[in-house]
């Protein structure tokens, strides 16, 4: 994704664009996860789906519109790709193009993958 940077120390890389974070990886207990921004619609769909084996509300940032996904054998990598792209598009400055249409495309991909 354009102008994306990876920062972070140790095992918890953080991904951002123009100094704003859109995804971060965390080990929670013995499981790896990625946390990212999500639209209210996406959060509602993923969390109300009852599929707590794949998605969760992360501590601290969950109240600010973030969602967590376990990245293990149950991970749907195509869906995660669409979710991370949506997070990037929510974060990327408008100067990078038509974010509204990109956001709509990401939402369509997420809905198909759910």
């Amino acid at each position: 994704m354009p102008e994306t940077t990876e920062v972070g120390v140790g095992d918890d890389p953080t991904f951002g664009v123009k100094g704003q974070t859109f995804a971060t990886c965390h080990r929670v207990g013995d499981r790896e996860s990625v946390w990212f921004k999500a639209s209210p619609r996406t959060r509602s769909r993923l969390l109300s789906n009852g599929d707590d084996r794949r998605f969760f509300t992360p501590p601290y940032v969950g109240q600010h519109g973030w969602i967590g996904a376990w990245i293990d054998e149950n991970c749907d990598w195509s869906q995660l790709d669409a979710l991370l792209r949506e997070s990037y598009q929510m974060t990327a400055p408008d100067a990078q193009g038509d974010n509204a249409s990109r956001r709509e495309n990401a939402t369509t991909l997420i809905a198909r993958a759910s």
Side-chain angles (χ1 to χ4, degrees):
M1 292 175 256
E3 301 185 47
T4 296
T5 58
E6 179 184 349
V7 296
V9 178
D11 296 331
D12 294 332
T14 298
F15 301 90
V17 57
K18 299 268 186 170
Q20 298 295 312
T21 300
F22 69 90
T24 183
C25 298
H26 292 278
R27 185 167 189 82
V28 179
D30 62 346
R31 296 179 79 184
E32 296 292 334
S33 67
V34 62
W35 303 359
F36 48 89
K37 293 178 182 181
S39 69
R41 182 177 174 189
T42 297
R43 281 178 49 80
S44 176
R45 184 179 315 120
L46 295 175
L47 295 174
S48 68
N49 199 10
D51 193 356
D52 60 343
R53 294 172 301 167
R54 293 191 303 154
F55 301 101
F56 62 95
T57 302
Y60 312 113
V61 295
Q63 65 185 357
H64 300 290
W66 286 63
I67 192 167
W70 299 114
I71 48 176
D72 53 21
E73 68 275 356
N74 294 322
C75 184
D76 179 338
W77 294 102
S78 297
Q79 182 184 35
L80 185 58
D81 177 66
L83 291 165
L84 291 171
R85 288 180 186 279
E86 178 185 60
S87 181
Y88 168 83
Q89 292 159 2
M90 291 172 65
T91 307
D94 288 336
Q96 293 187 16
D98 183 8
N99 281 337
S101 68
R102 284 192 217 158
R103 207 172 290 121
E104 183 178 317
N105 290 339
T107 302
T108 301
L109 288 171
I110 294 163
R112 285 185 196 153
S114 332

